[in-house]
Amino acid sequence: METKRTRTVCTGCHQRCGAVVYAEGNRIVRIEGDPDSPYSKGAFCGSGITQRFIHEDAKRVAKPLRRAGARGEGKWEEIGWDEALDLLESNTKRIREEYGPEAIVVSQGTSRTSNDWGQRLKATIGNKGWGLSPLHVCLIPNIMPHALTLGAGQMQGADVANAKTIVLWGISAVSILSEIKDIQKNRDENGAKVIVIDPRYSDLAKDADLFLQIRPGSDGALALGLMNVIIREKLYDVDFIDKWTYGFDELAEMVSEWTPEKTSQVTWIPAEQIVAAARMMGGEKPTTLYPMLGPSCMHTNAVQSGRALTCLTGLLGPVDVPGGFMYIPGAGPATNPELTLIPPDWDFNKPEAKLIGSEKFPAFAAFGNANVPYDTFEAVITQKPWPIKMMVLVANDALNCYEAPQKTAEALKSPNLEFIAVKDFYLTPTAQLADLVLPSSDWSERDTIDEEMFRGRIISSPRAVDPPGECWDDWKFYLEWGKRLDPELWPWADEREMVLWRIKLYHGIDLTWDEYVERAYIDTPASLSAAEFKKYETGKLRPDGQPGFMTPSGRIEFFCPTMQAFGYEPLPVYHEPKESPYSTPEVAKDYPLILTTGFRLYSFFHSAWTNVPGQRELYPHPFVVMNPADAQDADIVDGDWVEISSPRGAIMAKAEVSREVGQGVVALPRPGWRSGCEELGLPGYDWQDVCINNLIPGGGDSTDPGFGTAPMRSTLCAIRKMEG
Ligand SMILES: Nc1nc2c(c(=O)[nH]1)N[C@H]1C(S)=C(S)[C@@H](COP(=O)(O)OP(=O)(O)OC[C@H]3O[C@@H](n4cnc5c(=O)[nH]c(N)nc54)[C@H](O)[C@@H]3O)O[C@H]1N2
Ligand SMILES: Nc1nc2c(c(=O)[nH]1)N[C@H]1C(S)=C(S)[C@@H](COP(=O)(O)OP(=O)(O)OC[C@H]3O[C@@H](n4cnc5c(=O)[nH]c(N)nc54)[C@H](O)[C@@H]3O)O[C@H]1N2
Ligand code: SF4
Ligand SMILES: [Mo]
């Protein structure tokens, strides 16, 4: 049989590695990394390669399923897409008519390839923004400080290939696999230094020149302590600070109390390491900070920690130079108003915008443009501030995703929800509670386009094989649902037309489908502008063409008046996590260990793929990493089943006893091991028994004050050995 070769893109995670897929008929026979990809340069991981299994898996949902018994009973009837769309259309129209569009909440998990089409669909219903999404914990608390302090539309700006000092701050090797080659090359050829800041001695730490093992949730304090040394030792560029920053004197005064000794007490990092790190960052420049979820996304002090880190970037300036923090105009999340149908001046904080939680968490409404998750599930139960009657969850296993899943479950089981639809690959715990389950196609099976948020380059993504059964990709799903609601807003015949229309709209580039496929990696004005530097001098960062940054003062704002509008201090003040040995010693008596949850593994993407043998074999069981001293205290040895409890609840996992975490700190990885893997004879687990979010508080005062960020990476827990 003839072998067909297709060059496309793996969207198995946010790396977007270039893929070459070989197929015989509709069967994938081989997958390789594409050496021509400007990002991944041929790299490819085991998780991406198991696409072959996912494509063939007979257990995938391959046809729309309508609930046949009671909700959650597990009885289903296969139906066609026409009937499925009839159900969606009639429920959308009825509920919108009776209760208003805000009674319909459409959710979406982490960034996929259809984010902006999802927004268009929501706007077609009458709701603007993201609907529901884990944006309160996933990177947006980090993007907001980048916007406010540095005036940057995007978060990722670390030029690791050219920096002299690279600071990998709460980021894991898993999420930057495709950039590791650049870092290694830079070290080998240019002698670049690498600093890793993490509570875990991670794979990146193993290769670092300096590893700072930080107490979870104290990153803001570390940034202040580093700035203390940098300012005291004058390791900054005086001209740059004078000309391009705002509030330096106030910042300098504030950090003066953050001596290495005080910082050491708060962060648990030895004072001499803090001094050494500050000297390395301030000495061998350009220095580039590469923060991800660790420091400033999943803590009650998330936004202010993010502010402290971005102030450090400003202090270490100049920025927008090779090897520093780069500005990529137009590379932010897809927000073109013509596509999303959200007017550019739309105010998500006004009451008419109808976002649940916007009054309480004004910063989240402004930057997340979405309903606050916990408050939304509560609103389903109470039907206040307004009734919520319908949920459509696309690529979002809500029960495994959001904090306090007990609340999510109560909401999804509530009779108040008159209609629930879930679009996924499998009958996930969330899908099992639905009225309608819609089958989905994966990256090798769809004709769409990469839409990763941060890079600005077009990466074409044609299908290598046809999807099984009646699986539709999310683009087609939004198109067909949209057509039923307002065909004028959805005039395209298919996904290919949508792809080409979008490229024209976003980048002004006219392509035929064949050109799109053939050209593969296409530069756009946005990606090319990344090669221009010091754009703040030439006026290219501001729409008014004036020199300066996109902040109200036109400067990098150490002192940020806008923060006050959201209820925060204008300087990056450090606040202790709301639950910690210092802020709640009474809780720490019963729950003495600091808990960080959710670090990524080489296998699995969030709760997906624990059924896939090629992925599951690396991590057969749920596990928890704990220090030998803590294990010994509790009479636990490596491999024991243990119970991890917090004031919210308890879950179980196998103890992995290791010095990877320091004494007093416990780390639980992200997956929920929800599906069994028959091929390996390994079980699946209920979310009630193993989902890490059972331990995390939701709602009330348990979150970041302006953002609603749940403390997934800094709370308290206890561990005991399980009987038998
Ligand atoms: N405690 C704790 N909780 C966390 C985190 C943490 O670190 N700690 N991380 C948080 C973060 S950053 C995020 S982004 C969220 C992510 O949360 P989610 O994005 O909700 O992740 P999943 O739970 O895997 O659910 C995604 C579902 O989408 C399906 N899927 C995958 N690709 C597609 C597709 O193309 N189309 C469709 N229709 N379905 C698809 C998968 O099978 C899976 O069931 O989790 C958050 N939750
Ligand atoms: N294989 C795989 N890849 C993924 C994902 C996945 O589920 N699986 N998820 C994707 C998504 S949605 C996201 S948002 C990204 C996340 O990407 P990353 O943020 O890079 O990944 P994580 O491993 O979640 O967290 C990074 C590091 O933060 C550390 N950390 C924990 N608590 C703290 C703390 O208090 N301070 C500091 N400084 N560090 C801390 C963890 O130990 C971990 O090493 O990954 C993406 N890539
Ligand atoms: S899953 Fe692996 S191959 Fe696919 S994009 Fe992510 S790192 Fe690349
Ligand atoms: Mo995320």
Side-chain angles (χ1 to χ4, degrees), residues 110 396 401 424 474 597 600 606-607 670 674 693 713:
T110 186
N396 184 204
C401 168
D424 207 302
D474 299 338
T597 69
R600 303 322 190 216
H606 296 286
S607 60
R670 172 70 180 96
R674 68 184 186 199
N693 279 312
R713 298 212 171 172

Side-chain angles (χ1 to χ4, degrees), residues 109-110 112 134 137-138 293 298 394-398 400-402 423-426 428 440-442 446 474 597-600 605-609 670 674 692-693 696 712-713:
T110 186
R112 302 287 177 189
V137 289
C138 174
L293 289 182
M298 297 179 164
V394 181
N396 184 204
D397 185 3
N400 271 302
C401 168
Y402 301 105
K423 188 163 187 295
D424 207 302
F425 299 101
Y426 293 97
T428 66
S440 302
S441 52
D442 201 11
R446 59 193 175 204
D474 299 338
T597 69
F599 69 90
R600 303 322 190 216
F605 196 71
H606 296 286
S607 60
W609 316 138
R670 172 70 180 96
R674 68 184 186 199
I692 51 184
N693 279 312
I696 309 301
M712 293 171 168
R713 298 212 171 172

Side-chain angles (χ1 to χ4, degrees), residues 12-15 45 47 110-111 137-139 168-176 197-200 202 212 214-219 291-296 298-299 596-607 667 670-671 712-714:
C13 78
H14 303 323
Q15 297 291 291
C45 84
S47 172
T110 186
S111 177
V137 289
C138 174
L139 302 179
L168 301 171
W169 198 324
I171 189 168
S172 62
V174 173
S175 65
I176 53 166
I197 304 169
D198 203 298
R200 288 187 313 126
S202 64
L212 308 185
I214 193 164
R215 174 172 68 96
S218 68
D219 299 82
M292 205 75 125
L293 289 182
S296 49
M298 297 179 164
H299 305 290
T596 176
T597 69
F599 69 90
R600 303 322 190 216
L601 303 178
Y602 290 98
S603 293
F604 314 137
F605 196 71
H606 296 286
S607 60
R670 172 70 180 96
M712 293 171 168
R713 298 212 171 172
S714 45

Side-chain angles (χ1 to χ4, degrees), residues 66-67 70-72 76 420-422 429-437:
R66 180 170 52 196
R67 175 166 65 81
R71 225 179 236 166
W76 302 98
I420 306 176
V422 171
T430 303
Q432 285 168 31
L433 298 175
D435 302 302
L436 179 66
V437 179

